[in-house]
Amino acid sequence: QVQLVESGGGLVQAGGSLRLSCVASGGTFRRYGMGWFRQAPGKQRDLVAVITDGGTTNYQDSVKGRFTISRVNAKNTVYLQMNSLKPEDTAVYYCAADPSGRGSNWYQAYWGQGTQVTVSS
């Protein structure tokens, strides 16, 4: 059973930065596609950024140029560096692991518990 634990959320002013971390245990991390999702109150959970097992990345349009996803397989960790934060980035951020490695099969993914990010104006 894969377990994912997110950290790094918090309260930040608009224009600030945060780095989220997600540590995986119980599986073969390097084989997973990893994703960061976010869910604001009353809204659906949206995919923010993806990194495949091969290191290919993709981003939601609203975060391109501001967010960077990366992974360190030796540490079983995926990161989300968030710069130039905006109030509309406020949400609970979730880490997910896609066993297929492609970063697209989220229906069979493992999920973390989420970490709150709040951006004040």
Side-chain angles (χ1 to χ4, degrees):
Q1 183 71 16
V2 176
Q3 293 186 328
L4 303 173
V5 179
E6 302 100 332
S7 62
L11 173 64
V12 64
Q13 289 188 334
S17 298
L18 285 174
R19 188 176 80 157
L20 305 183
S21 301
C22 172
V23 180
S25 61
T28 307
F29 178 78
R30 59 182 172 82
R31 294 180 180 175
Y32 299 141
M34 300 300 297
W36 285 99
F37 289 73
R38 67 186 179 187
Q39 187 168 20
K43 296 189 176 181
Q44 68 180 16
R45 188 174 297 187
D46 290 330
L47 179 61
V48 175
V50 172
I51 185 165
T52 68
D53 56 353
T56 300
T57 59
N58 200 7
Y59 298 90
Q60 181 189 100
D61 285 346
S62 67
V63 307
K64 284 181 180 177
R66 300 189 297 122
F67 290 10
T68 303
I69 189 171
S70 60
R71 64 190 299 161
V72 178
N73 289 338
K75 294 185 176 181
N76 288 354
T77 302
V78 62
Y79 302 97
L80 185 68
Q81 178 66 44
M82 305 186 295
N83 299 327
S84 301
L85 282 161
K86 304 175 181 180
E88 51 264 43
D89 295 317
T90 295
V92 177
Y93 283 70
Y94 297 90
C95 169
D98 167 19
S100 78
R102 296 189 298 272
S104 58
N105 186 13
W106 304 113
Y107 293 104
Q108 295 183 319
Y110 301 98
W111 292 87
Q113 81 290 349
T115 185
Q116 176 70 47
V117 171
T118 303
V119 184
S120 64
S121 57

